[in-house]
Amino acid sequence: MAGNARRERIEGEVQRVLSTLVAREIKDPRVGSVTITAVQLAPDLSVARVFFLPFGGRHEAGEVQAGLASAAGFLRGEVGRRLSLRHAPRLEFVVDRHLEEASHLTELIDRAIGEDRAKGGSDAP
């Protein structure tokens, strides 16, 4: 249990540091505006899966991911230094699809409710 609390605390700190670094230190034009939405550390803290959302629409998610991957070594070193970690985790960047999935599910639910009302199946909102 204490290990989980430590891992969650480190995940939050890694997310905070990466958000700052990506916004201020990365000069790669492919990256642009990016929001770090979550960080998931492996149980042994060796790998951090970093979820991100590209904003601005100037570059495709794949391009942004490639830009972040090329800066991963620099970012890993900075995360290790700023958090005083003996072994900084290897960073893997993943496009966060949770928002798209949630929007799609909401759309499906709204459509089902609309069809149900059209058939006269429910008077409830």
Short mmCIF file of all heavy atoms in Angstrom, two decimals, residues 7 10 13 44 85 90:
data_model
loop_
_atom_site.label_atom_id
_atom_site.label_comp_id
_atom_site.label_asym_id
_atom_site.label_seq_id
_atom_site.Cartn_x
_atom_site.Cartn_y
_atom_site.Cartn_z
N ARG A 7 4.35 5.64 -5.55
CA ARG A 7 4.30 5.66 -7.01
C ARG A 7 3.35 6.75 -7.51
O ARG A 7 3.68 7.49 -8.44
CB ARG A 7 3.88 4.28 -7.53
CG ARG A 7 4.05 4.20 -9.05
CD ARG A 7 3.82 2.82 -9.60
NE ARG A 7 2.39 2.55 -9.62
CZ ARG A 7 1.81 1.47 -9.14
NH1 ARG A 7 2.53 0.52 -8.59
NH2 ARG A 7 0.51 1.32 -9.20
N ILE A 10 5.00 10.12 -7.13
CA ILE A 10 6.02 10.32 -8.16
C ILE A 10 5.37 10.57 -9.52
O ILE A 10 5.83 11.43 -10.28
CB ILE A 10 7.00 9.13 -8.21
CG1 ILE A 10 7.81 9.06 -6.92
CG2 ILE A 10 7.94 9.25 -9.41
CD1 ILE A 10 8.67 7.82 -6.79
N GLU A 13 4.37 14.16 -9.65
CA GLU A 13 5.54 15.05 -9.78
C GLU A 13 6.13 14.97 -11.18
O GLU A 13 6.52 15.99 -11.76
CB GLU A 13 6.59 14.70 -8.73
CG GLU A 13 6.19 15.07 -7.33
CD GLU A 13 5.98 16.56 -7.16
OE1 GLU A 13 6.86 17.35 -7.57
OE2 GLU A 13 4.92 16.95 -6.64
N ASP A 44 7.92 -1.16 -10.90
CA ASP A 44 9.33 -1.04 -10.51
C ASP A 44 9.91 0.35 -10.81
O ASP A 44 11.11 0.57 -10.65
CB ASP A 44 10.17 -2.13 -11.18
CG ASP A 44 10.20 -2.00 -12.69
OD1 ASP A 44 9.51 -1.10 -13.24
OD2 ASP A 44 10.91 -2.80 -13.33
N LEU A 85 15.91 11.89 -8.54
CA LEU A 85 15.72 10.45 -8.63
C LEU A 85 17.04 9.78 -8.99
O LEU A 85 17.75 10.25 -9.88
CB LEU A 85 14.69 10.10 -9.72
CG LEU A 85 13.27 10.63 -9.51
CD1 LEU A 85 12.41 10.34 -10.73
CD2 LEU A 85 12.66 10.01 -8.27
N ARG A 90 12.34 5.49 -17.91
CA ARG A 90 12.33 5.66 -19.37
C ARG A 90 10.94 6.18 -19.73
O ARG A 90 9.93 5.71 -19.20
CB ARG A 90 12.60 4.30 -20.04
CG ARG A 90 12.69 4.37 -21.55
CD ARG A 90 13.17 3.05 -22.13
NE ARG A 90 12.49 1.89 -21.59
CZ ARG A 90 11.35 1.39 -22.08
NH1 ARG A 90 10.76 1.97 -23.11
NH2 ARG A 90 10.80 0.32 -21.54
#
